[in-house]
Amino acid sequence: MALHPRPGSLVLSDWQRSPESRDYFNSIMHRNRRKHFGLLEAPVLPLQAAADTVSYKVFVSGKSGVGKSALVAKLAGLEVPSMHYETTGIQTTVVYWPVKLRDNGQVLLFRFQLWDCGENALRKFDHLLPACRDQTDAVLHLFSFTDRSSFDDLSSQITRISESAGSNVKLVVGTKFDQFMHTDVTERELREFQQAWAVPVFCFQSAGGGVGRAGLADIAPLLNGLAEQLWTQDLQAARLHTDGLHCSFTDKKLHC
């Protein structure tokens, strides 16, 4: 079983607050707003702030109405829809996130390509789920704190997705945490689930939060956690193939 890094053990947790990170985070901001990147676009860094880019495909999975599209919008700095609507097909969104490694001080620019697909579309068209799972590096399994059935469905959801997605990174995200007073899921149940499935669980509020650079603090725990899990997966895979060889980067990820 893969070991999960302790949050903050691989990357500096609040690095986005430091003056040193300004050039890197300015590359994903414009007029105090997040830049929106297409599939072929990338941040432009100044020469003194060079960083290797590592790219990963992330599938966002969960029942209809748990807040998949709202989560993706917040991570990308997009406007969160005020009303729920079913995603009609596959929607991909690119999110860039700079991190600084704790052990050697190296800065990496993580490129997350988030894949979101509506539950009804997945049921209607058999080819959509295999397309979402193909060559996936990580899966975000979502449930809503206000929907008990979405939490009860997590076990079968993880099993179903893992059948063909392989041994990729798995994270569980509880949405609508800002409505915790009306929750149908207890803290004890969350702890028991996390221990039973050995997956990290993140709590995420669906609305509110800061904008611009202030809003980066709202998404930092999840994006840093995802980066740590993926980087650990790459390091563990590299150790299985070689010991002591020089590792280098391509536009995809770590290679040895």
Side-chain angles (χ1 to χ4, degrees), residues 1 6 8 24 49 97 114 120 123 131 144 147 154 160 184-185 207 212 214 226-227 241:
M1 179 179 298
R6 187 179 70 257
Y24 299 95
W97 186 252
L114 304 177
N120 290 330
R123 292 177 177 176
S144 169
D147 181 359
L154 274 178
R160 182 174 65 254
D184 293 328
V185 183
L226 180 58
H241 289 88

Side-chain angles (χ1 to χ4, degrees), residues 43-85:
V44 178
L45 290 167
L47 293 178
Q48 70 273 15
D52 290 303
T53 300
V54 286
S55 301
Y56 299 93
K57 176 182 176 180
V58 181
F59 177 36
V60 182
S61 174
K63 289 186 60 179
S64 178
V66 298
K68 297 188 296 294
S69 297
L71 174 71
V72 170
K74 287 206 70 172
L75 295 180
L78 302 169
E79 183 177 352
V80 177
S82 58
M83 297 181 62
H84 169 258
Y85 63 92

Side-chain angles (χ1 to χ4, degrees), residues 9-57:
S9 61
L10 291 182
V11 306
L12 299 180
S13 301
D14 294 322
W15 187 59
Q16 80 279 356
R17 301 180 187 271
S18 70
E20 180 192 12
S21 71
R22 183 170 299 275
D23 284 340
Y24 299 95
F25 281 94
N26 281 346
S27 72
I28 64 171
M29 308 288 294
H30 178 65
R31 296 182 179 176
N32 202 36
R33 296 278 183 175
R34 296 278 299 285
K35 290 181 182 178
H36 304 151
F37 296 96
L39 292 178
L40 301 179
E41 296 177 313
V44 178
L45 290 167
L47 293 178
Q48 70 273 15
D52 290 303
T53 300
V54 286
S55 301
Y56 299 93
K57 176 182 176 180

Side-chain angles (χ1 to χ4, degrees), residues 205-216:
Q205 67 179 31
S206 302
V211 297
R213 290 189 68 90
L216 297 178

Side-chain angles (χ1 to χ4, degrees), residues 77-95:
L78 302 169
E79 183 177 352
V80 177
S82 58
M83 297 181 62
H84 169 258
Y85 63 92
E86 178 80 10
T87 304
T88 55
I90 295 176
Q91 179 175 315
T92 62
T93 305
V94 174
V95 174

